[in-house]
Amino acid sequence: MKNVSFKSFSFKVFALAALFALISLFGGTANILFTPVLAEENVNTEYTEPRSMTWYGQYNNPYVVIGSGNMQSNGCVPTSAAMYLSGIGVQVSPTDMGYYLYDTGNFDNLYGHGGSDLCWYDVAAYAGVGAWGIYDSDSFKDALKSGAVVACHIYYGGGTHAVLATGYNNGRTMVYDPIGGTYWNSVDNLWNGRSFVWNDCLSGTSIIALN
């Protein structure tokens, strides 16, 4: 057993008593001094729930011909439009939406391929909602954070393709793709892959937001 001198023991007792005296004297201040500082939790507050929509595939009625093409090759816009409408409680088939957009002149009609960006203003009029063009990536993200659904005409394979983006989570968004299903993708990827083909940009942009 190790011997402890009376002098050493007395000093330790004195030091302990002084510490308690200090805590009693300064009260709350001492509590602050002796309270450990915890690292701030990294909480992501930039989250908007994706809108719940019914997914439709443009190959479901592949050989239905509307105007200058069929739904398999040209039906991404009316199919995406039907998905959008399902999310606001309006049930319409992709084919019926294709006929409606054909009658407006903006699908499989004047421009020789699929649906132009102007179709989304026709969809907004059909549903009685607002639609507006997106001209920069920050506005794209702001629209998603606000709960809007954003229609995106993007390059795809050897042509262009229309998909929907909804919700926001730390720079990513849920994509409803009438060919590829539903999946998360980077907002920047969609923005950087947007179409510049003239008949996808008749309104000035190929990215259109809808309430």
Side-chain angles (χ1 to χ4, degrees):
M1 180 176 177
K2 185 177 179 181
N3 294 324
V4 179
S5 70
F6 177 76
K7 184 177 180 181
S8 172
F9 178 77
S10 299
F11 176 79
K12 290 177 180 178
V13 170
F14 174 78
L16 186 60
L19 177 60
F20 279 110
L22 178 63
I23 293 173
S24 299
L25 178 64
F26 290 99
T29 305
N31 288 335
I32 294 172
L33 290 173
F34 291 99
T35 300
V37 178
L38 301 177
E40 184 178 350
E41 218 176 295
N42 183 19
V43 179
N44 175 24
T45 58
E46 291 190 321
Y47 179 79
T48 300
E49 185 76 21
R51 193 174 299 185
S52 178
M53 300 182 287
T54 301
W55 181 83
Y56 294 112
Q58 70 188 70
Y59 295 162
N60 289 358
N61 294 292
Y63 304 116
V64 173
V65 175
I66 301 175
S68 61
N70 61 45
M71 288 294 287
Q72 176 173 305
S73 60
N74 290 0
C76 54
V77 169
T79 305
S80 295
M83 288 193 277
Y84 165 76
L85 291 167
S86 75
I88 58 172
V90 179
Q91 300 303 321
V92 58
S93 73
T95 300
D96 286 344
M97 183 51 48
Y99 287 121
Y100 167 75
L101 294 174
Y102 174 77
D103 288 341
T104 70
N106 291 318
F107 172 66
D108 271 357
N109 201 329
L110 301 177
Y111 313 116
H113 95 105
S116 79
D117 55 301
L118 296 179
C119 285
W120 297 106
Y121 294 95
D122 298 328
V123 172
Y126 182 94
V129 301
W132 64 98
I134 300 294
Y135 296 93
D136 60 75
S137 60
D138 287 341
S139 297
F140 190 175
K141 292 171 184 175
D142 288 343
L144 292 169
K145 291 175 190 177
S146 76
V149 174
V150 181
C152 310
H153 291 238
I154 57 175
Y155 289 110
Y156 183 90
T160 66
H161 182 48
V163 301
L164 300 178
T166 176
Y168 187 85
N169 186 8
N170 197 30
R172 295 170 67 79
T173 186
M174 174 66 74
V175 175
Y176 277 70
D177 181 339
I179 292 178
T182 59
Y183 51 87
W184 287 91
N185 198 358
S186 163
V187 179
D188 289 336
N189 283 348
L190 291 172
W191 176 254
N192 293 331
R194 68 194 185 280
S195 172
F196 289 97
V197 175
W198 69 273
N199 45 6
D200 287 330
C201 305
L202 293 170
S203 66
T205 178
S206 57
I207 309 292
I208 310 294
L210 299 99
N211 287 329

